[in-house]
């Protein structure tokens, strides 16, 4: 009987993974030129699962980034042995991809051209570079686009399960001010997204532990908004301010949406810190992330130093790659600097989740 | 009696054909003008409100006259299929699909196809150039069409009737 249940479970897991892959393909394929649409077809499912980036560079080989490795591809999607054998991307390919991802409305992408990226349905991000056109010393737009980087966004529902118990006061149910510290590409955005979702849904489904969350998503990475609507699951009580500068956005949210928690990604500028202090005075819990390996790293950065020394935050979550992407290395109590975890928790993120 | 009926039928048929041909000259003028106003609307949507092309096309189609709204809707439909078609290709395909329904001549259609090449594929300043050029060319075509209409409209109308009469006379 147990065996039967197990097999049923694995089967379910497999079919849901398959459905996810199909969904991923359905989102990515429409923006690729017709002759490159098969590039994901010849890969093994576990390889597709790992694809982080698809890189199109004019006149250079077509490359897939899978976790820590790279794979040059022939046009039919067959992995090439050497870079020389790989399909070389043409200007026409780039132009076409750009047209497809903008629904042939490149003229409407002014803002995106200035920023160098666009979010497509499904929350995936396409970054591009080319020749900058300047106006009064500032980038007005990009022309002659020469590289595209299609970054696949994945959400891992439940990846915050193991840290959630440390992120709120068990007695009062009040969420702690939390800072997630992580080197790049360790899954911090993915973790933040799931934390937001869990607070928003109510921890373990409890109504008294559900909060209104205001999310400032400056780079459309957390909620992956397309036309303002979140493409990722960020919970039923989450209000997303998409594409807004963090500092301004946090203040706006507090005034307009009365959140109990404000979440945002990658703080680091002076105005961000000022806004965070304002949040504290407004009685709103803050959950945010920062690039770094450990606390000492942050203390060396003048702008962030004060945040650490003044004990603004109550919890630090440290991410790393000890047991693969998304390993939660430690959860620190900010006052005592005591590690609340007995040992690092391996991330249940799959290898290859973009931060 | 039967002869008379036959004769009447021939005259009627020939003059209808004449009227039809005369009407085509008029319609071509009208359609060229409609195209120009359609491009003006498209320019407003694209340049001033930065509307994505599929949305803009649908909006303008609602304000456009008969065969031309098909041109817009077909382009939109093709674009949204997700087959990897760019707006330019979708537009050119739509031009070929609807050309039978319009009264435009090959020269007019050529201008439209040419317009498709750059449609949606560049930033605003380039799009404006493309739109302005096309509008200017269509204006010239409109002028030519007007000239030809004046020359030919009456001729076709009377000629249809007269040709019908001539056939009847020969056959009698």
């Amino acid at each position: 009987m147990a065996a039967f249940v197990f097999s049923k479970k694995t089967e379910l897991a497999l079919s849901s993974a398959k459905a996810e892959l199909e969904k991923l393909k359905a989102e990515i394929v429409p923006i690729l030129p017709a002759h490159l649409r098969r590039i994901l077809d010849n890969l093994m499912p576990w390889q597709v699962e790992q694809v982080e980036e698809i890189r199109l560079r004019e006149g250079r080989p077509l490359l897939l980034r899978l976790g820590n490795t790279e794979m040059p591809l022939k046009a039919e999607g067959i992995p090439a042995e050497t870079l020389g054998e790989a399909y070389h991307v043409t200007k026409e390919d780039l132009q076409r991809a750009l047209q497809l991802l903008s629904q042939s409305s490149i003229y409407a992408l002014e803002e995106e051209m200035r920023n160098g990226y666009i979010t497509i349905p499904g929350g995936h991000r396409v970054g591009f570079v080319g020749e900058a056109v300047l106006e009064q010393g500032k980038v007005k737009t990009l022309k002659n686009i020469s590289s595209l980087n299609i970054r696949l966004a994945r959400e891992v529902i439940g990846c915050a399960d193991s840290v959630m118990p440390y992120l709120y006061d068990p007695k009062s149910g009040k969420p702690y001010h939390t800072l997630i510290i992580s080197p790049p590409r360790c899954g911090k955005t993915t973790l933040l997204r799931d934390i937001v979702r869990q607070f928003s849904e109510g921890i373990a489904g409890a109504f008294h532990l559900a909060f209104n969350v205001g999310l400032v998503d400056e780079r459309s990475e957390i909620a992956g908004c397309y036309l303002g609507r979140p493409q990722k699951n960020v919970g039923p009580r989450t209000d997303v301010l998409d594409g807004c500068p963090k500092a301004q956005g946090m203040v706006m949210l507090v005034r307009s949406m009365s959140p109990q928690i404000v979440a945002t990604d990658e703080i680091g500028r002076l105005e961000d810190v000022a806004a965070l202090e304002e949040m504290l005075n407004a009685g709103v819990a803050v959950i945010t992330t920062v690039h770094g390996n450990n606390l000492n790293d942050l203390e060396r950065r003048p702008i962030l130093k004060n945040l650490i020394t003044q004990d603004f935050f109550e919890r630090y979550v440290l991410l790393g790659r000890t047991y693969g992407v998304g390993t939660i290395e430690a959860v620190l109590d900010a006052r005592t600097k005591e590690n609340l975890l007995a040992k690092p928790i391996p991330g249940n993120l799959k290898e290859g989740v973009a931060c | 009696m039967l002869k008379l009926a036959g004769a009447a039928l021939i005259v009627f048929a020939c003059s209808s054909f004449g009227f039809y041909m005369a009407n085509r000259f008029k319609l071509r003028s009208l359609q060229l003008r409609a195209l120009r106003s359609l491009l003006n609307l498209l320019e407003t949507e694209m340049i001033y409100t930065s509307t994505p092309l599929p949305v803009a096309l649908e909006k303008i189609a609602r304000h456009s006259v008969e065969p031309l709204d098909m041109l817009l809707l077909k382009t939109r439909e093709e674009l949204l299929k997700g087959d990897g078609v760019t707006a330019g290709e979708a537009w050119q395909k739509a031009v070929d699909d609807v050309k039978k329904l319009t009264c435009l001549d090959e020269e007019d259609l050529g201008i439209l196809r040419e317009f498709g090449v750059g449609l949606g594929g560049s930033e605003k300043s380039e799009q404006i150039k493309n739109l302005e050029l096309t509008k200017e060319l269509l204006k010239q075509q409109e002028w030519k069409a007007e000239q030809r209409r004046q020359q030919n409209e009456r001729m076709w109308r009377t000629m249809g009737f007269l040709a019908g009469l001539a056939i009847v006379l020969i056959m009698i």
Side-chain angles (χ1 to χ4, degrees):
Chain A
M1 188 65 197
F4 172 75
V5 171
F6 175 75
S7 71
K8 201 77 190 155
K9 241 183 178 173
T10 8
E11 206 171 285
L12 257 172
L14 277 177
S15 71
S16 87
K18 205 173 163 202
E20 202 160 297
L21 287 187
E22 288 305 316
K23 183 171 161 275
L24 188 73
K25 274 190 196 169
E27 285 158 357
I28 296 299
V29 160
I31 67 163
L32 294 171
H35 64 279
L36 295 180
R37 293 196 163 186
R38 292 171 45 80
I39 57 176
L40 293 179
D41 281 354
N42 284 322
L43 299 181
M44 299 285 162
W46 63 269
Q47 285 174 314
V48 180
E49 233 165 52
Q50 287 194 3
V51 176
E52 260 179 43
E53 296 173 343
I54 303 170
R55 291 209 175 248
L56 309 177
R57 297 181 175 102
E58 189 185 337
R60 277 158 290 171
L62 171 66
L63 289 174
L64 286 188
R65 166 141 219 112
L66 303 112
N68 290 329
T69 59
E70 231 179 16
M71 183 185 280
L73 282 187
K74 295 178 187 169
E76 317 83 67
I78 304 166
E81 298 282 311
T82 62
L83 284 184
E85 269 178 33
Y87 174 75
H88 281 59
V89 179
T90 64
K91 192 179 182 69
E92 159 79 15
D93 291 336
L94 286 163
Q95 180 64 20
R96 189 168 276 265
L98 208 56
Q99 285 213 33
L100 291 176
L101 70 88
S102 67
Q103 291 189 315
S104 282
S105 311
I106 292 177
Y107 56 87
L109 295 185
E110 261 177 5
E111 191 61 35
E112 288 84 352
M113 283 288 185
R114 243 195 305 275
N115 296 332
Y117 67 85
I118 177 173
T119 308
I120 61 168
H124 311 288
R125 274 222 310 192
V126 182
F128 37 79
V129 291
E131 192 183 330
V133 181
L134 299 184
E135 195 176 64
Q136 293 174 341
K138 282 195 170 166
V139 177
K140 184 181 162 229
T141 181
L142 294 174
K143 63 174 186 181
N144 295 331
I145 302 300
S146 59
S147 291
L148 282 184
N149 177 15
I150 304 168
R151 298 180 65 185
L152 310 194
R154 299 245 171 66
E155 54 184 338
V156 183
I157 304 273
C159 68
D161 283 351
S162 48
V163 283
M164 288 315 286
Y166 303 104
L167 300 187
Y168 65 96
D169 185 339
K171 281 187 204 121
S172 63
K174 197 183 159 300
Y176 288 130
H177 299 293
T178 303
L179 180 66
I180 301 169
I181 304 167
S182 157
R185 296 173 12 97
C186 285
K188 80 179 133 38
T189 303
T190 314
L191 181 68
L192 178 65
R193 184 187 301 126
D194 204 51
I195 291 176
V196 166
R197 179 189 68 83
Q198 298 214 19
F199 271 127
S200 179
E201 277 179 1
I203 299 161
F207 272 115
H208 67 286
L209 290 175
F211 302 91
N212 286 326
V213 185
L215 180 61
V216 191
D217 200 1
E218 185 169 354
R219 302 196 298 160
S220 305
E221 275 187 318
I222 311 170
C225 285
Y226 177 70
L227 300 177
R229 181 177 165 177
Q231 304 284 316
K232 303 270 175 245
N233 184 355
V234 285
R237 298 179 186 85
T238 304
D239 305 302
V240 184
L241 191 53
D242 186 42
C244 183
K246 283 179 279 276
Q248 231 177 318
M250 283 190 268
V251 179
M252 275 168 73
L253 270 175
V254 169
R255 285 188 191 140
S256 57
M257 303 309 287
S258 70
Q260 292 154 294
I261 299 175
V262 163
T264 184
D265 207 1
E266 287 179 28
I267 53 157
R269 281 175 306 198
L270 198 57
E271 60 262 35
D272 298 343
V273 175
L276 284 179
E277 275 161 13
E278 201 164 320
M279 292 302 105
L280 186 67
N281 296 331
V284 179
V286 173
I287 302 172
T288 185
T289 71
V290 72
H291 275 303
N293 287 314
N294 50 42
L295 272 183
N296 296 340
D297 270 10
L298 302 188
E299 278 177 17
R300 258 177 260 131
R301 288 164 68 177
I303 294 172
L304 298 174
K305 194 180 164 193
N306 278 343
L307 282 181
I308 307 293
T309 49
Q310 288 175 10
D311 282 343
F312 176 93
F313 291 99
E314 290 158 294
R315 287 285 183 272
Y316 300 116
V317 178
L318 278 80
L319 293 186
R321 281 183 178 245
T322 315
Y323 301 119
V325 174
T327 305
I328 296 153
E329 308 276 356
V331 178
L332 301 181
D333 182 308
R335 300 222 157 77
T336 59
K337 301 282 184 293
E338 175 199 347
N339 188 358
L340 303 173
L341 295 183
K343 59 178 191 222
I345 304 171
N348 56 353
L349 309 188
K350 283 158 197 121
E351 184 79 23
V353 173
C355 299
Chain B
M1 190 58 200
L2 203 64
K3 233 181 198 177
L4 206 63
L9 213 62
I10 290 174
V11 173
F12 176 73
C14 287
S15 42
S16 310
F17 179 70
F19 269 86
Y20 166 75
M21 289 305 284
N23 205 29
R24 281 187 70 91
F25 285 102
K26 197 170 136 196
L27 277 178
R28 179 177 166 220
S29 270
L30 288 177
Q31 285 173 0
L32 283 168
R33 192 169 314 153
L35 266 178
R36 221 147 49 86
S37 76
L38 177 158
L39 289 182
N40 273 327
L41 286 176
L42 191 58
E43 182 165 352
T44 316
E45 290 292 339
M46 285 167 67
I47 308 304
Y48 299 105
T49 49
S50 295
T51 317
L53 208 50
V55 182
L57 289 172
E58 194 192 6
K59 248 182 174 173
I60 301 166
R62 266 186 253 140
H63 303 290
S64 302
V65 289
E66 255 280 304
L68 300 177
D69 59 350
M70 286 302 288
L71 175 67
L72 300 174
L73 292 175
K74 285 212 165 198
T75 309
R76 174 177 178 273
E77 194 185 311
E78 198 65 29
L79 201 55
L80 291 182
K81 259 190 208 165
D83 285 348
V85 183
T86 64
E89 290 159 354
W91 172 271
Q92 288 174 336
K93 187 162 179 289
V95 168
D96 287 325
D97 282 352
V98 298
K99 70 178 177 191
K100 288 248 166 58
L101 304 173
T102 68
C103 300
L104 302 172
D105 69 9
E106 244 341 281
E107 212 175 326
D108 306 334
L109 294 171
I111 293 171
L112 285 184
R113 286 193 198 103
E114 194 59 33
F115 170 69
V117 174
L119 179 63
S122 53
E123 41 143 10
K124 282 183 179 165
S125 57
E126 296 292 317
Q127 293 293 308
I128 294 176
K129 277 185 210 156
N130 190 20
L131 281 157
E132 292 301 326
L133 174 70
T134 311
K135 279 193 285 181
E136 194 52 45
L137 289 172
L138 286 177
K139 205 171 176 181
Q140 283 174 20
Q141 291 301 104
E142 206 181 310
W143 185 77
K144 279 193 222 161
E146 194 56 32
Q147 295 274 318
R148 286 192 59 188
R149 179 171 90 103
Q150 277 171 13
Q151 284 167 10
N152 296 321
E153 198 181 7
R154 285 187 73 179
M155 185 192 77
W156 273 101
R157 255 184 226 161
T158 42
M159 236 179 43
F161 177 68
L162 291 177
L165 272 189
I167 293 171
V168 168
L169 284 177
I170 292 165
M171 280 169 61
I172 284 174

